[in-house]
Amino acid sequence: MNLSDIFNQASSSPSLVSYLGVFFVCLGAALAAALPGIGSAKGTGLVGQAAAGVVAEDPNKFGKVLILQVLPGTQGLYGFLTAILLLSNTGVLSGKADIEWYEGLAYFAACLPIMIVGLLSALAQAKTAAAGVGLVAKNPEQSGKAIIFAAMVETYAVLALLVSLLAIMSLKNVFAA
């Protein structure tokens, strides 16, 4: 007996397995929001520590270092957006979800890009932004370059967001066919 036979046999009777699709969707939404959110929280905290030292020495640099602190926080927003779109598109938010286990698993897989890239890019962006805070501390006129360095990392988070969103939106059409 293979895994497919087990799921088919279990789904023929109302049981816990009949809710696996919703479970996988909810797990995907939870991790899509949580992992980039964790990366963003750690990232903004790391940059905030560096920025606090700079502002303690020169309060006039607050605006420049604040922009650098905000940048690693965007991945958390991307994960949140992905989670809301997933829950909305699958009917989980409205309570009208009828999702097979394999559909739920596919939706979960669609969230993997933002889960993984969102977490890792927030942490990488935080390191780049913290280095940018050091640049601003020594040479405030270079703040634009520091922001560009940190924003370059953002590109990969945006790409992961797009892949996840496109996958989520296209899966609805795949399963409707």
Side-chain angles (χ1 to χ4, degrees):
M1 183 177 277
N2 62 32
L3 187 60
S4 179
D5 293 336
I6 292 170
F7 280 120
N8 288 335
Q9 182 181 15
S11 65
S12 64
S13 62
S15 67
L16 190 58
V17 174
S18 63
Y19 297 103
L20 269 178
V22 173
F23 171 78
F24 284 132
V25 165
C26 290
L27 182 63
L31 290 175
L35 293 177
I38 289 167
S40 288
K42 288 179 68 79
T44 56
L46 177 84
V47 180
Q49 290 172 353
V54 171
V55 173
E57 294 293 321
D58 185 357
N60 292 328
K61 294 178 182 168
F62 174 76
K64 293 180 180 190
V65 296
L66 178 64
I67 294 168
L68 289 164
Q69 185 188 14
V70 168
L71 284 172
T74 56
Q75 284 85 337
L77 295 173
Y78 299 160
F80 178 73
L81 173 67
T82 302
I84 295 300
L85 183 73
L86 174 65
L87 294 172
S88 176
N89 270 11
T90 57
V92 172
L93 280 182
S94 65
K96 296 181 169 110
D98 183 24
I99 305 164
E100 295 290 333
W101 68 269
Y102 55 86
E103 293 173 332
L105 199 54
Y107 281 114
F108 176 83
C111 293
L112 285 172
I114 196 60
M115 285 181 207
I116 297 166
V117 178
L119 170 65
L120 297 177
S121 67
L123 298 174
Q125 190 173 42
K127 291 175 186 175
T128 307
V133 168
L135 176 61
V136 169
K138 292 180 181 174
N139 194 347
E141 296 82 32
Q142 300 300 317
S143 66
K145 291 177 183 171
I147 292 167
I148 290 170
F149 291 146
M152 291 302 297
V153 182
E154 186 85 15
T155 304
Y156 299 97
V158 170
L159 293 174
L161 171 67
L162 286 173
V163 169
S164 286
L165 294 183
L166 289 171
I168 290 167
M169 291 185 292
S170 65
L171 282 173
K172 193 169 195 170
N173 295 332
V174 168
F175 295 126

mmCIF file with all atom_site columns, all heavy atoms in Angstrom, residues 154-170:
data_model
loop_
_atom_site.group_PDB
_atom_site.id
_atom_site.type_symbol
_atom_site.label_atom_id
_atom_site.label_alt_id
_atom_site.label_comp_id
_atom_site.label_asym_id
_atom_site.label_entity_id
_atom_site.label_seq_id
_atom_site.pdbx_PDB_ins_code
_atom_site.Cartn_x
_atom_site.Cartn_y
_atom_site.Cartn_z
_atom_site.occupancy
_atom_site.B_iso_or_equiv
_atom_site.pdbx_formal_charge
_atom_site.auth_seq_id
_atom_site.auth_comp_id
_atom_site.auth_asym_id
_atom_site.auth_atom_id
_atom_site.pdbx_PDB_model_num
ATOM 1   N N   . GLU A 1 154 ? 16.488 43.361 -1.355  1.00 0.00 ? 154 GLU A N   1
ATOM 2   C CA  . GLU A 1 154 ? 15.020 43.360 -1.435  1.00 0.00 ? 154 GLU A CA  1
ATOM 3   C C   . GLU A 1 154 ? 14.521 42.743 -2.745  1.00 0.00 ? 154 GLU A C   1
ATOM 4   O O   . GLU A 1 154 ? 13.445 42.146 -2.791  1.00 0.00 ? 154 GLU A O   1
ATOM 5   C CB  . GLU A 1 154 ? 14.524 44.804 -1.326  1.00 0.00 ? 154 GLU A CB  1
ATOM 6   C CG  . GLU A 1 154 ? 13.035 44.945 -1.256  1.00 0.00 ? 154 GLU A CG  1
ATOM 7   C CD  . GLU A 1 154 ? 12.527 44.799 0.147   1.00 0.00 ? 154 GLU A CD  1
ATOM 8   O OE1 . GLU A 1 154 ? 13.318 44.877 1.091   1.00 0.00 ? 154 GLU A OE1 1
ATOM 9   O OE2 . GLU A 1 154 ? 11.313 44.602 0.292   1.00 0.00 ? 154 GLU A OE2 1
ATOM 10  N N   . THR A 1 155 ? 15.296 42.879 -3.785  1.00 0.00 ? 155 THR A N   1
ATOM 11  C CA  . THR A 1 155 ? 14.916 42.353 -5.097  1.00 0.00 ? 155 THR A CA  1
ATOM 12  C C   . THR A 1 155 ? 14.518 40.886 -5.011  1.00 0.00 ? 155 THR A C   1
ATOM 13  O O   . THR A 1 155 ? 13.521 40.463 -5.601  1.00 0.00 ? 155 THR A O   1
ATOM 14  C CB  . THR A 1 155 ? 16.092 42.504 -6.087  1.00 0.00 ? 155 THR A CB  1
ATOM 15  O OG1 . THR A 1 155 ? 16.472 43.878 -6.127  1.00 0.00 ? 155 THR A OG1 1
ATOM 16  C CG2 . THR A 1 155 ? 15.721 42.016 -7.475  1.00 0.00 ? 155 THR A CG2 1
ATOM 17  N N   . TYR A 1 156 ? 15.264 40.123 -4.263  1.00 0.00 ? 156 TYR A N   1
ATOM 18  C CA  . TYR A 1 156 ? 15.002 38.683 -4.191  1.00 0.00 ? 156 TYR A CA  1
ATOM 19  C C   . TYR A 1 156 ? 13.766 38.373 -3.359  1.00 0.00 ? 156 TYR A C   1
ATOM 20  O O   . TYR A 1 156 ? 13.048 37.419 -3.650  1.00 0.00 ? 156 TYR A O   1
ATOM 21  C CB  . TYR A 1 156 ? 16.263 37.958 -3.699  1.00 0.00 ? 156 TYR A CB  1
ATOM 22  C CG  . TYR A 1 156 ? 17.367 38.220 -4.683  1.00 0.00 ? 156 TYR A CG  1
ATOM 23  C CD1 . TYR A 1 156 ? 18.300 39.223 -4.458  1.00 0.00 ? 156 TYR A CD1 1
ATOM 24  C CD2 . TYR A 1 156 ? 17.391 37.550 -5.896  1.00 0.00 ? 156 TYR A CD2 1
ATOM 25  C CE1 . TYR A 1 156 ? 19.263 39.513 -5.404  1.00 0.00 ? 156 TYR A CE1 1
ATOM 26  C CE2 . TYR A 1 156 ? 18.354 37.841 -6.853  1.00 0.00 ? 156 TYR A CE2 1
ATOM 27  C CZ  . TYR A 1 156 ? 19.288 38.820 -6.598  1.00 0.00 ? 156 TYR A CZ  1
ATOM 28  O OH  . TYR A 1 156 ? 20.223 39.116 -7.550  1.00 0.00 ? 156 TYR A OH  1
ATOM 29  N N   . ALA A 1 157 ? 13.492 39.186 -2.364  1.00 0.00 ? 157 ALA A N   1
ATOM 30  C CA  . ALA A 1 157 ? 12.248 39.023 -1.610  1.00 0.00 ? 157 ALA A CA  1
ATOM 31  C C   . ALA A 1 157 ? 11.046 39.333 -2.496  1.00 0.00 ? 157 ALA A C   1
ATOM 32  O O   . ALA A 1 157 ? 10.031 38.632 -2.453  1.00 0.00 ? 157 ALA A O   1
ATOM 33  C CB  . ALA A 1 157 ? 12.256 39.930 -0.383  1.00 0.00 ? 157 ALA A CB  1
ATOM 34  N N   . VAL A 1 158 ? 11.160 40.366 -3.324  1.00 0.00 ? 158 VAL A N   1
ATOM 35  C CA  . VAL A 1 158 ? 10.067 40.727 -4.233  1.00 0.00 ? 158 VAL A CA  1
ATOM 36  C C   . VAL A 1 158 ? 9.841  39.612 -5.254  1.00 0.00 ? 158 VAL A C   1
ATOM 37  O O   . VAL A 1 158 ? 8.691  39.251 -5.558  1.00 0.00 ? 158 VAL A O   1
ATOM 38  C CB  . VAL A 1 158 ? 10.346 42.078 -4.930  1.00 0.00 ? 158 VAL A CB  1
ATOM 39  C CG1 . VAL A 1 158 ? 9.347  42.347 -6.036  1.00 0.00 ? 158 VAL A CG1 1
ATOM 40  C CG2 . VAL A 1 158 ? 10.336 43.207 -3.907  1.00 0.00 ? 158 VAL A CG2 1
ATOM 41  N N   . LEU A 1 159 ? 10.915 39.044 -5.778  1.00 0.00 ? 159 LEU A N   1
ATOM 42  C CA  . LEU A 1 159 ? 10.778 37.938 -6.727  1.00 0.00 ? 159 LEU A CA  1
ATOM 43  C C   . LEU A 1 159 ? 10.100 36.732 -6.076  1.00 0.00 ? 159 LEU A C   1
ATOM 44  O O   . LEU A 1 159 ? 9.230  36.091 -6.676  1.00 0.00 ? 159 LEU A O   1
ATOM 45  C CB  . LEU A 1 159 ? 12.141 37.545 -7.300  1.00 0.00 ? 159 LEU A CB  1
ATOM 46  C CG  . LEU A 1 159 ? 12.807 38.588 -8.203  1.00 0.00 ? 159 LEU A CG  1
ATOM 47  C CD1 . LEU A 1 159 ? 14.207 38.141 -8.590  1.00 0.00 ? 159 LEU A CD1 1
ATOM 48  C CD2 . LEU A 1 159 ? 11.959 38.883 -9.418  1.00 0.00 ? 159 LEU A CD2 1
ATOM 49  N N   . ALA A 1 160 ? 10.493 36.411 -4.851  1.00 0.00 ? 160 ALA A N   1
ATOM 50  C CA  . ALA A 1 160 ? 9.863  35.297 -4.134  1.00 0.00 ? 160 ALA A CA  1
ATOM 51  C C   . ALA A 1 160 ? 8.387  35.581 -3.882  1.00 0.00 ? 160 ALA A C   1
ATOM 52  O O   . ALA A 1 160 ? 7.538  34.688 -4.023  1.00 0.00 ? 160 ALA A O   1
ATOM 53  C CB  . ALA A 1 160 ? 10.586 35.040 -2.817  1.00 0.00 ? 160 ALA A CB  1
ATOM 54  N N   . LEU A 1 161 ? 8.069  36.806 -3.528  1.00 0.00 ? 161 LEU A N   1
ATOM 55  C CA  . LEU A 1 161 ? 6.669  37.191 -3.332  1.00 0.00 ? 161 LEU A CA  1
ATOM 56  C C   . LEU A 1 161 ? 5.879  36.982 -4.616  1.00 0.00 ? 161 LEU A C   1
ATOM 57  O O   . LEU A 1 161 ? 4.789  36.391 -4.597  1.00 0.00 ? 161 LEU A O   1
ATOM 58  C CB  . LEU A 1 161 ? 6.578  38.657 -2.894  1.00 0.00 ? 161 LEU A CB  1
ATOM 59  C CG  . LEU A 1 161 ? 5.180  39.261 -2.856  1.00 0.00 ? 161 LEU A CG  1
ATOM 60  C CD1 . LEU A 1 161 ? 4.330  38.613 -1.776  1.00 0.00 ? 161 LEU A CD1 1
ATOM 61  C CD2 . LEU A 1 161 ? 5.252  40.772 -2.664  1.00 0.00 ? 161 LEU A CD2 1
ATOM 62  N N   . LEU A 1 162 ? 6.424  37.429 -5.729  1.00 0.00 ? 162 LEU A N   1
ATOM 63  C CA  . LEU A 1 162 ? 5.729  37.275 -7.005  1.00 0.00 ? 162 LEU A CA  1
ATOM 64  C C   . LEU A 1 162 ? 5.516  35.808 -7.365  1.00 0.00 ? 162 LEU A C   1
ATOM 65  O O   . LEU A 1 162 ? 4.432  35.429 -7.824  1.00 0.00 ? 162 LEU A O   1
ATOM 66  C CB  . LEU A 1 162 ? 6.500  37.979 -8.124  1.00 0.00 ? 162 LEU A CB  1
ATOM 67  C CG  . LEU A 1 162 ? 6.426  39.497 -8.115  1.00 0.00 ? 162 LEU A CG  1
ATOM 68  C CD1 . LEU A 1 162 ? 7.375  40.088 -9.157  1.00 0.00 ? 162 LEU A CD1 1
ATOM 69  C CD2 . LEU A 1 162 ? 5.007  39.969 -8.360  1.00 0.00 ? 162 LEU A CD2 1
ATOM 70  N N   . VAL A 1 163 ? 6.521  34.982 -7.154  1.00 0.00 ? 163 VAL A N   1
ATOM 71  C CA  . VAL A 1 163 ? 6.376  33.557 -7.462  1.00 0.00 ? 163 VAL A CA  1
ATOM 72  C C   . VAL A 1 163 ? 5.281  32.943 -6.591  1.00 0.00 ? 163 VAL A C   1
ATOM 73  O O   . VAL A 1 163 ? 4.420  32.211 -7.088  1.00 0.00 ? 163 VAL A O   1
ATOM 74  C CB  . VAL A 1 163 ? 7.717  32.811 -7.277  1.00 0.00 ? 163 VAL A CB  1
ATOM 75  C CG1 . VAL A 1 163 ? 7.520  31.309 -7.326  1.00 0.00 ? 163 VAL A CG1 1
ATOM 76  C CG2 . VAL A 1 163 ? 8.703  33.243 -8.349  1.00 0.00 ? 163 VAL A CG2 1
ATOM 77  N N   . SER A 1 164 ? 5.308  33.233 -5.305  1.00 0.00 ? 164 SER A N   1
ATOM 78  C CA  . SER A 1 164 ? 4.283  32.674 -4.414  1.00 0.00 ? 164 SER A CA  1
ATOM 79  C C   . SER A 1 164 ? 2.886  33.154 -4.798  1.00 0.00 ? 164 SER A C   1
ATOM 80  O O   . SER A 1 164 ? 1.940  32.358 -4.867  1.00 0.00 ? 164 SER A O   1
ATOM 81  C CB  . SER A 1 164 ? 4.586  33.021 -2.955  1.00 0.00 ? 164 SER A CB  1
ATOM 82  O OG  . SER A 1 164 ? 5.648  32.250 -2.472  1.00 0.00 ? 164 SER A OG  1
ATOM 83  N N   . LEU A 1 165 ? 2.741  34.445 -5.061  1.00 0.00 ? 165 LEU A N   1
ATOM 84  C CA  . LEU A 1 165 ? 1.417  34.975 -5.402  1.00 0.00 ? 165 LEU A CA  1
ATOM 85  C C   . LEU A 1 165 ? 0.912  34.418 -6.732  1.00 0.00 ? 165 LEU A C   1
ATOM 86  O O   . LEU A 1 165 ? -0.262 34.046 -6.846  1.00 0.00 ? 165 LEU A O   1
ATOM 87  C CB  . LEU A 1 165 ? 1.442  36.501 -5.446  1.00 0.00 ? 165 LEU A CB  1
ATOM 88  C CG  . LEU A 1 165 ? 1.698  37.215 -4.121  1.00 0.00 ? 165 LEU A CG  1
ATOM 89  C CD1 . LEU A 1 165 ? 1.614  38.724 -4.297  1.00 0.00 ? 165 LEU A CD1 1
ATOM 90  C CD2 . LEU A 1 165 ? 0.759  36.747 -3.036  1.00 0.00 ? 165 LEU A CD2 1
ATOM 91  N N   . LEU A 1 166 ? 1.776  34.359 -7.720  1.00 0.00 ? 166 LEU A N   1
ATOM 92  C CA  . LEU A 1 166 ? 1.364  33.794 -9.014  1.00 0.00 ? 166 LEU A CA  1
ATOM 93  C C   . LEU A 1 166 ? 0.978  32.324 -8.885  1.00 0.00 ? 166 LEU A C   1
ATOM 94  O O   . LEU A 1 166 ? -0.002 31.873 -9.492  1.00 0.00 ? 166 LEU A O   1
ATOM 95  C CB  . LEU A 1 166 ? 2.470  33.968 -10.050 1.00 0.00 ? 166 LEU A CB  1
ATOM 96  C CG  . LEU A 1 166 ? 2.697  35.395 -10.538 1.00 0.00 ? 166 LEU A CG  1
ATOM 97  C CD1 . LEU A 1 166 ? 3.952  35.466 -11.400 1.00 0.00 ? 166 LEU A CD1 1
ATOM 98  C CD2 . LEU A 1 166 ? 1.485  35.915 -11.287 1.00 0.00 ? 166 LEU A CD2 1
ATOM 99  N N   . ALA A 1 167 ? 1.734  31.577 -8.098  1.00 0.00 ? 167 ALA A N   1
ATOM 100 C CA  . ALA A 1 167 ? 1.419  30.161 -7.897  1.00 0.00 ? 167 ALA A CA  1
ATOM 101 C C   . ALA A 1 167 ? 0.076  30.003 -7.194  1.00 0.00 ? 167 ALA A C   1
ATOM 102 O O   . ALA A 1 167 ? -0.757 29.185 -7.597  1.00 0.00 ? 167 ALA A O   1
ATOM 103 C CB  . ALA A 1 167 ? 2.530  29.480 -7.102  1.00 0.00 ? 167 ALA A CB  1
ATOM 104 N N   . ILE A 1 168 ? -0.157 30.789 -6.168  1.00 0.00 ? 168 ILE A N   1
ATOM 105 C CA  . ILE A 1 168 ? -1.428 30.708 -5.433  1.00 0.00 ? 168 ILE A CA  1
ATOM 106 C C   . ILE A 1 168 ? -2.605 31.032 -6.349  1.00 0.00 ? 168 ILE A C   1
ATOM 107 O O   . ILE A 1 168 ? -3.614 30.311 -6.380  1.00 0.00 ? 168 ILE A O   1
ATOM 108 C CB  . ILE A 1 168 ? -1.411 31.637 -4.205  1.00 0.00 ? 168 ILE A CB  1
ATOM 109 C CG1 . ILE A 1 168 ? -0.455 31.094 -3.146  1.00 0.00 ? 168 ILE A CG1 1
ATOM 110 C CG2 . ILE A 1 168 ? -2.817 31.813 -3.638  1.00 0.00 ? 168 ILE A CG2 1
ATOM 111 C CD1 . ILE A 1 168 ? -0.137 32.090 -2.040  1.00 0.00 ? 168 ILE A CD1 1
ATOM 112 N N   . MET A 1 169 ? -2.462 32.093 -7.124  1.00 0.00 ? 169 MET A N   1
ATOM 113 C CA  . MET A 1 169 ? -3.565 32.507 -7.986  1.00 0.00 ? 169 MET A CA  1
ATOM 114 C C   . MET A 1 169 ? -3.794 31.532 -9.132  1.00 0.00 ? 169 MET A C   1
ATOM 115 O O   . MET A 1 169 ? -4.925 31.302 -9.542  1.00 0.00 ? 169 MET A O   1
ATOM 116 C CB  . MET A 1 169 ? -3.325 33.921 -8.507  1.00 0.00 ? 169 MET A CB  1
ATOM 117 C CG  . MET A 1 169 ? -3.424 34.961 -7.405  1.00 0.00 ? 169 MET A CG  1
ATOM 118 S SD  . MET A 1 169 ? -3.307 36.663 -7.956  1.00 0.00 ? 169 MET A SD  1
ATOM 119 C CE  . MET A 1 169 ? -1.617 36.754 -8.503  1.00 0.00 ? 169 MET A CE  1
ATOM 120 N N   . SER A 1 170 ? -2.731 30.930 -9.629  1.00 0.00 ? 170 SER A N   1
ATOM 121 C CA  . SER A 1 170 ? -2.907 29.999 -10.757 1.00 0.00 ? 170 SER A CA  1
ATOM 122 C C   . SER A 1 170 ? -3.400 28.626 -10.298 1.00 0.00 ? 170 SER A C   1
ATOM 123 O O   . SER A 1 170 ? -4.047 27.927 -11.082 1.00 0.00 ? 170 SER A O   1
ATOM 124 C CB  . SER A 1 170 ? -1.603 29.860 -11.549 1.00 0.00 ? 170 SER A CB  1
ATOM 125 O OG  . SER A 1 170 ? -0.612 29.257 -10.759 1.00 0.00 ? 170 SER A OG  1
#
